[in-house]
Amino acid sequence: MKKNRKLAGVIFENICRFFTIISLIAVVLILGSLFLKGKGLITWEFLTTEPLDGMTKGGIFPAIFGTICVTVLMIIFALPLGVASAIYLVEYAGTGFLARTIRAAVNNLAGVPSIVFGLFGVGFFILFVGRNIDKVLQTGLLFGQPAMLWAAATLGVLVLPVVIVSTEEALRAVPLSHREAAYALGATKFQVVSRVVLPQSLSGILTGAILSVSRGAGETAPILFTGCAYFLPRLPVVTIPYLNIPMINPLDQFMELSYHLFIMATQSIDAQATRPIQYGTAFILITLTFILNLSAISLRIYFRRRHKR
Amino acid sequence: MDPLTKNSYKVETKNLSYSYEDHKVLHDVSLPIPDKKVTAVIGPSGCGKSTLIKAVNRIGEITSQIKVEGEVLFNGENIYRPGVDVVELRRRIGMVFQKPNPFPKSIYENVAFGLRIHGITGKEQLDSIVEQSLRQAALWDEVKDRLPESAFELSGGQQQRLCIARALALDPEVILMDEPCSALDPTGTAKIEETIQVLKSDYCILIVTHNMQQAARVSDYTAFLNLGRLIEHDLTTNIFTNPKNKLTEDYITGRFG
């Protein structure tokens, strides 16, 4: 009897170990093949030049540039919105019906397929918001068409749950004793939030922001219809009149790494010839995401050490 | 004349009943707390000691739904009447918590925190109040050369005295202490008790303690609470030498609690 119980434990442990190894193999295979086939292609030229000859040759600079621009814009959208919502939910909303409903909505938002966000972006941002801006400002067809602005806004909505949930966690991690201490000194709620809670949760909020960037930077579906271009013979940059300063043009379309990968694999004039570029692009995309995740982790470790008591 | 029958008390609870959610913690407690004296509240765990002092600066209500019947008078005015400025009330009634809870800031900024949130920002004024508060809390000599260091570098006892200094910086009229020594070693405890002895000439002090020797050492008056009711309240010497109630006697002689 006793022997049987021991045996059950050993079998269970080994089954778990076996499945762990399988998922590990999947990761190793993906990363390994990308690294082996992609590393030889990564040259300075590949990173800094434009695609040539119907995108069968040349580099991926416009796609890297576009990815960074749209991601920065995305975080400008998502961070204030998400952080403010989280502060409201944690510090002000309490546990009533409304708060519970909002929380459930946020969690459901995280489960919506990304293509739905893409279509939402077209319907809401381009056709509704954009076209109406055009109507009001009499700008013809300027805002009411796919643009980096709308792609970033769509991505922003997509990563909103990530920002909200991670910010909520960061706020809740501030010990009650610190809030009590501040209240006992006659702090108002606003002072408790702004001078005690927010400074202490900054690292967690930052970590969440970086994680949301790494989530958003790899998405294809939300930007598919909202702003990214198959090929763009120019960077999405305008020169500000009179000042002569170049600026990212959020109303232009842009190229993006994951979309670039998608079209080279499926819509290229010669998919076979683009194979090396595909590996290179995927390698760069994964590297970017990896660097972002790594910086999130090290940021968290750094702040945890600093706050250790 | 028995000083307890005097009319002017700094703080006085009158028939105070206090409930968290639906759980009634205090029943009809009437306790006068005189100025420039130390009043200790003793009693077994869960008797409502902490709730009683958290009712005095209305800090109990920041985390829970509460219900209050009766009154808590501060300078003769009921602090639970509508329209009371709770922020101002808490500025005038300082509190020291069970576990030292300094902010993750420098020693200096911990003491200056309360001043800053009340709009005092002048460097010289801050410097002088910080120094004076740390002196009052008997911490100045130990930390005067390391004010910019993190408060977490201090020992537990020093952190608790820092928390006392932080409360003193606002020049409160009352100091509430919720088992301030329960997380400290004997040396830390002795220092806090010395500090209390010095402070009582200027402040009204209400201290909750689990430790009866401590109550006997530091307080002028002692109140004994059991199951949310005030069983006995008298001069500390009377409570410990000649308790009138059988329950009090059993508790202080260690028969329960």
Side-chain angles (χ1 to χ4, degrees):
Chain A
M1 187 63 202
K2 202 172 182 189
K3 208 175 168 189
N4 272 345
R5 282 201 334 206
K6 257 192 178 166
L7 190 68
V10 173
I11 290 173
F12 182 68
E13 186 187 336
N14 278 302
I15 290 175
C16 290
R17 179 175 300 148
F18 178 68
F19 285 122
T20 310
I21 290 170
I22 287 185
S23 38
L24 200 67
I25 287 174
V27 175
V28 169
L29 280 181
I30 294 173
L31 292 183
S33 70
L34 274 182
F35 181 72
L36 289 177
K37 297 190 179 159
K39 70 168 183 200
L41 296 153
I42 310 302
T43 58
W44 185 244
E45 220 185 323
F46 183 70
L47 295 177
T48 54
T49 58
E50 313 181 347
L52 295 169
D53 290 350
M55 292 200 282
T56 53
K57 292 196 184 104
I60 54 167
F61 177 68
I64 297 178
F65 183 80
T67 303
I68 293 173
C69 291
V70 78
T71 309
V72 168
L73 215 53
M74 167 195 84
I75 209 67
I76 292 175
F77 273 112
L79 201 59
L81 222 61
V83 170
S85 316
I87 290 175
Y88 175 74
L89 284 175
V90 173
E91 304 293 338
Y92 295 96
T95 50
F97 177 73
L98 180 70
R100 284 202 308 261
T101 313
I102 298 177
R103 270 190 203 107
V106 169
N107 287 329
N108 282 321
L109 198 62
V112 172
S114 53
I115 186 68
V116 177
F117 282 103
L119 294 171
F120 167 77
V122 176
F124 181 73
F125 288 119
I126 298 178
L127 296 180
F128 179 71
V129 179
R131 292 272 157 96
N132 276 311
I133 293 177
D134 279 339
K135 229 177 254 169
V136 171
L137 299 180
Q138 298 287 324
T139 39
L141 193 65
L142 182 63
F143 288 93
Q145 57 184 353
M148 185 192 287
L149 179 69
W150 306 131
T154 309
L155 282 174
V157 179
L158 174 93
V159 300
L160 207 51
V162 182
V163 179
I164 293 178
V165 170
S166 57
T167 305
E168 273 192 284
E169 272 167 25
L171 295 174
R172 280 186 221 284
V174 176
L176 175 65
S177 67
H178 290 167
R179 296 165 199 256
E180 274 186 328
Y183 278 119
L185 291 166
T188 61
K189 181 143 203 165
F190 173 68
Q191 287 172 327
V192 173
V193 172
S194 63
R195 301 196 189 207
V196 176
V197 178
L198 277 182
Q200 280 196 60
S201 45
L202 209 58
S203 66
I205 295 173
L206 233 55
T207 313
I210 295 174
L211 288 178
S212 71
V213 166
S214 83
R215 163 90 206 273
E219 280 290 347
T220 320
I223 56 172
L224 202 58
F225 315 118
T226 51
C228 66
Y230 181 85
F231 176 70
L232 206 63
R234 58 176 193 279
L235 291 177
V237 171
V238 284
T239 308
I240 303 172
Y242 307 114
L243 297 171
N244 271 331
I245 305 167
M247 182 194 98
I248 295 163
N249 181 4
L251 291 176
D252 206 345
Q253 298 197 357
F254 61 102
M255 293 180 72
E256 204 260 1
L257 282 169
S258 63
Y259 183 66
H260 193 57
L261 186 60
F262 170 68
I263 52 152
M264 277 192 301
T266 59
Q267 343 244 300
S268 171
I269 44 168
D270 185 356
Q272 210 54 40
T274 63
R275 196 51 68 76
I277 302 180
Q278 290 176 36
Y279 276 111
T281 307
F283 184 72
I284 294 297
L285 185 59
I286 294 233
T287 310
L288 270 181
T289 318
F290 183 71
I291 291 173
L292 285 169
N293 280 332
L294 209 66
S295 51
I297 292 167
S298 36
L299 205 67
R300 193 157 42 196
I301 293 172
Y302 168 76
F303 276 105
R304 197 172 286 164
R305 281 216 189 110
R306 225 185 58 172
H307 274 300
K308 210 176 208 170
R309 28 189 335 177
Chain B
M1 183 183 87
D2 177 0
L4 280 183
T5 57
K6 263 194 326 190
N7 248 336
S8 65
Y9 298 108
K10 196 76 202 171
V11 177
E12 184 174 5
T13 71
K14 275 195 166 159
N15 307 102
L16 176 68
S17 294
Y18 195 99
S19 318
Y20 285 118
E21 314 290 341
D22 290 325
H23 177 59
K24 201 166 186 178
V25 185
L26 293 176
H27 302 264
D28 201 22
V29 173
S30 294
L31 176 67
I33 301 154
D35 201 6
K36 301 195 192 333
K37 299 276 184 228
V38 178
T39 302
V41 182
I42 59 170
S45 297
C47 70
K49 311 184 288 281
S50 288
T51 303
L52 177 62
I53 79 165
K54 284 183 173 174
V56 175
N57 66 345
R58 293 188 58 173
I59 199 97
E61 63 206 65
I62 64 164
T63 44
S64 323
Q65 283 294 339
I66 58 147
K67 209 176 122 218
V68 175
E69 292 160 68
E71 295 183 321
V72 177
L73 303 180
F74 172 52
N75 291 332
E77 299 223 42
N78 182 13
I79 61 168
Y80 283 96
R81 75 176 194 280
V84 165
D85 183 352
V86 183
V87 164
E88 174 63 13
L89 175 81
R90 293 187 188 134
R91 191 193 69 71
R92 293 163 70 184
I93 301 183
M95 182 158 190
V96 178
F97 293 83
Q98 204 163 345
K99 272 195 198 143
N101 57 354
F103 298 118
K105 298 174 188 284
S106 69
I107 295 169
Y108 182 94
E109 285 303 327
N110 260 281
V111 184
F113 181 88
L115 300 164
R116 289 192 193 279
I117 61 173
H118 290 286
I120 298 168
T121 49
K123 175 95 177 68
E124 276 171 40
Q125 203 180 356
L126 283 178
D127 283 353
S128 86
I129 299 177
V130 167
E131 174 174 347
Q132 184 199 331
S133 310
L134 285 168
R135 279 189 194 281
Q136 276 183 292
L139 191 59
W140 175 251
D141 291 330
E142 293 161 59
V143 301
K144 64 180 174 207
D145 300 322
R146 43 194 291 213
L147 295 176
E149 282 178 35
S150 164
F152 293 159
E153 304 286 319
L154 299 173
S155 74
Q158 288 174 322
Q159 287 187 12
Q160 195 62 303
R161 275 178 287 147
L162 181 67
C163 292
I164 294 176
R166 183 174 66 184
L168 291 174
L170 289 172
D171 194 25
E173 295 165 46
V174 179
I175 301 171
L176 308 172
M177 295 183 165
D178 187 2
E179 300 193 39
C181 303
S182 63
L184 305 184
D185 62 15
T187 327
T189 303
K191 289 231 170 178
I192 300 275
E193 287 182 9
E194 281 167 35
T195 310
I196 293 172
Q197 291 300 347
V198 176
L199 292 177
K200 80 171 184 188
S201 55
D202 292 316
Y203 300 92
C204 165
I205 297 177
L206 180 61
I207 179 172
V208 162
T209 175
H210 215 83
N211 177 330
M212 279 173 284
Q213 285 77 28
Q214 182 170 62
R217 282 192 301 264
V218 302
S219 69
D220 304 292
Y221 298 95
T222 297
F224 172 59
L225 238 60
N226 189 37
L227 299 175
R229 289 173 202 282
L230 181 64
I231 306 296
E232 194 168 347
H233 173 225
D234 206 337
L235 285 165
T236 298
T237 40
N238 293 348
I239 291 270
F240 282 95
T241 55
N242 188 20
K244 293 184 186 70
N245 192 295
K246 181 80 173 62
L247 268 175
T248 316
E249 190 182 337
D250 287 351
Y251 182 71
I252 60 170
T253 51
R255 251 168 258 164
F256 82 104

